[in-house]
Amino acid sequence: QVRQVKTTRVHPDFNMLSCESGIVLMQLDIPLEYNAAVRPVCLSNSTETLSSSYLCTVSGRGIIKENGSRARRLQQTRAPVLENEICERNYYFSHPGGIAARMLSAGFVSVGGQDS
């Protein structure tokens, strides 16, 4: 299904330098038609703690290749939750501010591949 984005809302606390609160709501010009491949996103209870190695689904339009450009289409993958220290050591070692307390990291550190 192809849709145009009608409006967007960036999280009011979004910090471009640290990427904290990096979430955007998009209103589409035409609603999606739900089917076996298109379903609403599942959100966890805000009090639920996700333990390390918990397999979660991540989505976005991030960079799809190392030193590459951003994806043109929404991407989705499954990846294990990482402890912030592991993520900081493997991904954010040169990132200003490191991993903030409200951030969540997920990925396959030892084998490369998909991450968020």
Side-chain angles (χ1 to χ4, degrees), residues 7-115:
T7 59
T8 61
R9 286 253 164 109
V10 177
H11 192 286
D13 295 330
F14 174 61
N15 181 315
M16 191 176 288
L17 183 62
S18 70
C19 297
E20 188 170 3
S21 299
I23 187 166
V24 177
L25 292 176
M26 297 183 291
Q27 180 182 18
L28 304 177
D29 61 343
I30 302 169
L32 293 168
E33 296 174 20
Y34 293 144
N35 57 38
V38 178
R39 302 295 312 151
V41 65
C42 295
L43 298 175
S44 67
N45 181 320
S46 64
T47 60
E48 183 178 353
T49 302
L50 298 177
S51 60
S52 182
S53 300
Y54 179 88
L55 197 61
C56 62
T57 300
V58 295
S59 64
R61 290 185 52 222
I63 296 170
I64 55 176
K65 292 181 184 174
E66 195 70 32
N67 297 323
S69 60
R70 294 201 172 275
R72 292 177 49 104
R73 296 180 180 188
L74 186 64
Q75 304 291 304
Q76 172 184 308
T77 190
R78 299 203 27 97
V81 172
L82 298 174
E83 293 179 21
N84 284 355
E85 297 79 28
I86 294 171
C87 191
E88 209 160 56
R89 189 170 52 242
N90 288 278
Y91 292 105
Y92 275 79
F93 48 87
S94 63
H95 192 273
I99 305 296
R102 297 188 315 181
M103 291 180 171
L104 180 87
S105 297
F108 296 95
V109 177
S110 61
V111 295
Q114 297 90 7
D115 61 52

